[in-house]
Amino acid sequence: MPIAPLLTSSPGKLPLADYKPLSNDELSRRIDAGRQKLGKRLLILGHHYQQDEVIDHADLRGDSYQLSEQAASSTECRTIIFCGVHFMAETADILANRPEKIAERDGATVKVILPDMAAGCSMADMAAIRQVENAWQQLGEVIDTQQMIPVTYINSAASLKAFCGKHGGIVCTSSNAAAVIRWAFERGQRVFFFPDQHLGRNTALKMGITNAQMPVWDPYAEEMGGNSEQQIIDSRVVLWKGHCSVHQMFRPEHVQQFRNRIPDIKILVHPECPQEVNDIADLSGSTSMILKTVQQSPPGSKWAIGTELHLVNRLKKQHPEQEIHFLSPVVCMCATMYRIDLAHLCWSIENLLEGEVVNHIEVDPETAKYSLIALKRMLEVK
Ligand code: 13P
Ligand code: SF4
């Protein structure tokens, strides 16, 4: 695995260590007080996988796509505290600070804060820009990469989004992957999809592309990502060998165990799950699709859901009229998202009140410029 850049937290005027011993009640009270003082200048965004205590403080919550839209349309705020992971905060910085938005605010920028710099994404770390560039160059030795469209899942570093922006490519999320891949095939003969092989494969299979047409590119293989030249020539989609450490834990035997135990249960999974699980599930879709499916189901519906634990537990609490189970017998939670706790949130807010922006996520202008091209294409795809 590539070594992720070392992201260190800023010290802040008020030290984080002072917040660690405080109770959740005390932290919540101080977070509310701080937010009142900051008013509309502060916007707190939270991803659905966030723990309850934290997401309760979010002004807006959403999946990756909705959070991008929310960051893109923010008007009054001058600071966004992003209760999510690093790539989401980068995306918010790029979208909230695009040139037309800065002009609308008479030159004022928005500072994006990630409360804990250790909140990364193991999937995003599986594709480093130099590896993607190296793969692109090798692919160019056997196929015409002018006819290949790079598609990066939003769960990736800004440098990969910039790569897509520079090479006629686009960003996708789990809620628009099919539309984005269709967009790509309107512009080229092949797609290079990174970093999540499962989302790429599960989406492309539904579009009639076969596994034989989807070689997997292993960035650690000596040559051609571990593929023969013929496999690359015959490809429609080249998939990066990356995955989500949370969703890869769901297995076909978990599905079978539930079906044996509760015959009328429906299996609902996220497309980051492996193909073996996705294929036998009743339904597969993004976080917002999973939420909507449960919200719109009648009382008595029975679900085993294969996605992040905090979201499934929240759905269980919100829908006692339905029978909701977590698909895996073992804990599958996003440990990095879980790094964001009330202590970090309170520390970020109170430093802000002292005029100190801690853990400021700022994408360099060149990367932001090209990432924005790929992100705008995504936001325009319907
Ligand atoms: P969505 O929010 O697009 O469903 O993606 C899930 C995820 O893994 C977020 O990191
Ligand atoms: Fe990354 Fe998976 Fe966590 Fe999403 S759930 S942030 S893909 S590790």
Side-chain angles (χ1 to χ4, degrees), residues 23-234:
S23 70
N24 276 359
D25 283 349
E26 169 72 0
L27 289 163
S28 274
R29 194 189 54 70
R30 284 168 60 169
I31 289 168
D32 288 341
R35 293 187 55 198
Q36 281 233 317
K37 285 189 198 143
L38 289 161
K40 295 230 161 100
R41 282 174 292 153
L42 172 65
L43 176 68
I44 302 181
L45 296 180
H47 189 275
H48 287 303
Y49 294 174
Q50 204 54 255
Q51 51 186 307
D52 284 354
E53 301 92 279
V54 172
I55 202 134
D56 285 347
H57 290 283
D59 296 298
L60 299 168
R61 56 177 82 176
D63 66 1
S64 306
Y65 185 80
Q66 293 162 330
L67 291 168
S68 309
E69 278 193 318
Q70 288 158 6
S73 55
S74 61
T75 45
E76 291 165 298
C77 72
R78 292 295 173 268
T79 308
I80 292 175
I81 296 188
F82 212 118
C83 298
V85 292
H86 190 264
F87 72 80
M88 298 177 186
E90 278 189 335
T91 304
D93 175 53
I94 296 163
L95 291 171
N97 290 310
R98 61 195 193 278
E100 59 270 34
K101 273 279 161 191
I102 294 182
E104 258 176 50
R105 295 187 215 103
D106 291 329
T109 56
V110 171
K111 305 261 190 289
V112 179
I113 290 174
L114 182 66
D116 186 342
M117 291 301 244
C121 165
S122 53
M123 178 202 285
D125 292 344
M126 288 178 197
I129 184 61
R130 58 178 169 74
Q131 294 176 314
V132 171
E133 283 170 348
N134 178 278
W136 192 250
Q137 193 201 325
Q138 286 191 57
L139 287 165
E141 289 163 18
V142 283
I143 55 170
D144 178 7
T145 46
Q146 296 288 333
Q147 287 300 317
M148 184 175 223
I149 307 295
V151 177
T152 190
Y153 190 21
I154 198 162
N155 300 28
S156 57
S159 51
L160 271 68
K161 296 182 179 85
F163 177 90
C164 290
K166 274 183 203 159
H167 293 278
I170 183 165
V171 177
C172 78
T173 74
S174 60
S175 59
N176 62 14
V180 165
I181 293 180
R182 269 196 301 276
W183 178 99
F185 277 124
E186 281 160 17
R187 288 156 179 84
Q189 290 162 359
R190 292 186 181 80
V191 166
F192 187 22
F193 192 97
F194 38 82
D196 185 17
Q197 60 171 305
H198 300 306
L199 177 66
R201 181 182 295 112
N202 290 329
T203 310
L205 283 168
K206 280 191 190 160
M207 298 166 73
I209 295 165
T210 64
N211 269 320
Q213 296 170 312
M214 288 192 273
V216 176
W217 187 277
D218 178 354
Y220 295 100
E222 294 242 324
E223 270 177 52
M224 221 37 83
N227 300 287
S228 66
E229 290 192 2
Q230 196 57 48
Q231 279 175 297
I232 299 297
I233 291 165
D234 293 342

Side-chain angles (χ1 to χ4, degrees), residues 330-343:
V330 295
V331 170
C332 309
M333 67 164 210
C334 182
T336 45
M337 190 89 73
Y338 190 64
R339 302 279 317 197
I340 311 286
D341 57 12
L342 290 183

